[in-house]
Amino acid sequence: GSSTRREEDQFAVVLKVLAFADRVFDIPRNADVILPHNWMEWIWSGTAPFLEGGISIPPAIAQSIENFTRSIIRKIALADLIKPKGNSYIKRAKDLTEMPSMQRMIIEEVLRHYSVNNRLDVLQQAEATNVLRNLDSLLSGIEECISPFPLNLGVEVATALAAITVHNNAWVRTRVKNNTKLLETRDRLSFLMLSSGWKEFKKMPAERIAKTLQINTHDPNATVWLLRSLTEAVTERCVESVETLQSMIQQLQALDVEQKRTLARIIADEEVATVLATPPPPIMSTSEHPNDRTFVQWCIANESKWEATMAKIVKASKSLDENLRSQNERGQREFTARVKARKVEIERKASQMSRSASDFEKLWAEVEAKRATYLEAVEQAHSRRKERDEKRQSMTGRTTSTHSIAGTETSTKSQL
């Protein structure tokens, strides 16, 4: 009873503080005040116990805390993005390897804002230029800063960048093309999603698969990689994944004629191409007609033809495999180096803080020693003053007594 009430009171206080902070950062100049400081670390240190499960709280309260946290992050980040590149700190988010949840929230909130509010041509040209440059700094090499890189984050990056390039005037599009590497980032992450492997596609909702294909429509390697994934799924006899990949290949062919030509050039077999283009049969189908068999069943029944096709696909994707492997290895090395550098930086700051604390303790000890000396001197002076006062009072008392005696003697003599 009372314990539960205390916890509810504590959660209410947390929510009130976050709600107040959220209102404070509605005013951009308030965000400007904390931008040069470690605001990312400050926010995370205050909210991580609730968001990372360190403190047991009701799901509804946890969601409210996350919503307020995301809102605060978004307002501060947007205030940062319009600053000149030299005065922007948003790219520090890439270095938060020790707090990946915070790192991801910052990037997600920036992307979600520009996926919807993508009209940079309504800003002043200087501010629009700053936003593009700062986005470029934040997103450049982002897949090497988060390991493993989440596919849905890649979708959000590609979606936001596609929205910016499509929904703006020629001036903004020219800036994106000539003054940033945002298009290269979009293409690289788009293909990274496509090359994530057939096991990942099985987990993807249809909407995300459609977006992934759409942003890879003009990538000449898209069909090659999907065929490569198809061979792996067929080898594993994973019918569900094969059907997903088969559907993806068909969708991609419908989006771009060049993808059709790539498929025809690699397979070079009309029968295989026809079977691959045939939709899978209904799940409960018991038909024996060749066209009603799954692609896996066809591959088993036509083993030699499928093996020949696989050899063509493997040959076509060999250089792609090598490039991807090299890219992954380089990315892992850079991520490891970034984590190491961040650890060194944290240790350096901790060492500086330790030295500062030690220096402060020494200074405090000196102050305390001087204070003790001063208090002792004051006490001694007080004691000496007291002694003098007592002596003075004593001497004054004796003088008064002497005068009293003298006065008595004079009175007595006058009476006689």
Side-chain angles (χ1 to χ4, degrees), residues 264-312:
R265 186 181 68 253
I266 294 173
I267 292 179
D269 188 306
E270 189 174 343
E271 181 184 358
V272 177
T274 300
V275 175
L276 189 57
T278 303
I283 296 175
M284 301 302 293
S285 175
T286 57
S287 171
E288 295 296 328
H289 191 279
N291 290 339
D292 289 337
R293 292 181 296 188
T294 66
F295 189 76
V296 172
Q297 290 171 334
W298 182 89
C299 292
I300 294 172
N302 299 270
E303 186 176 356
S304 59
K305 186 177 282 288
W306 174 240
E307 285 184 354
T309 302
M310 278 202 304
K312 297 174 188 175

Side-chain angles (χ1 to χ4, degrees), residues 262-384:
T262 300
L263 180 68
R265 186 181 68 253
I266 294 173
I267 292 179
D269 188 306
E270 189 174 343
E271 181 184 358
V272 177
T274 300
V275 175
L276 189 57
T278 303
I283 296 175
M284 301 302 293
S285 175
T286 57
S287 171
E288 295 296 328
H289 191 279
N291 290 339
D292 289 337
R293 292 181 296 188
T294 66
F295 189 76
V296 172
Q297 290 171 334
W298 182 89
C299 292
I300 294 172
N302 299 270
E303 186 176 356
S304 59
K305 186 177 282 288
W306 174 240
E307 285 184 354
T309 302
M310 278 202 304
K312 297 174 188 175
I313 294 172
V314 170
K315 182 179 179 181
S317 63
K318 185 176 180 181
S319 61
L320 206 57
D321 274 332
E322 293 173 353
N323 291 340
L324 191 62
R325 183 166 51 252
S326 174
Q327 181 179 334
N328 289 339
E329 289 173 354
R330 184 176 66 254
Q332 189 57 45
R333 285 195 303 270
E334 292 184 7
F335 176 76
T336 302
R338 188 179 291 272
V339 170
K340 185 177 179 180
R342 176 66 175 172
K343 184 178 179 182
V344 169
E345 177 67 12
I346 291 173
E347 290 175 350
R348 184 183 65 80
K349 288 183 178 179
S351 177
Q352 285 180 343
M353 290 178 65
S354 177
R355 287 196 301 271
S356 297
S358 177
D359 292 343
F360 178 77
E361 288 176 359
K362 291 177 182 177
L363 181 61
W364 185 254
E366 292 176 5
V367 170
E368 283 294 301
K370 291 180 179 179
R371 179 173 176 272
T373 302
Y374 171 76
L375 291 176
E376 184 179 357
V378 169
E379 183 64 28
Q380 290 175 354
H382 180 70
S383 297
R384 288 194 296 270

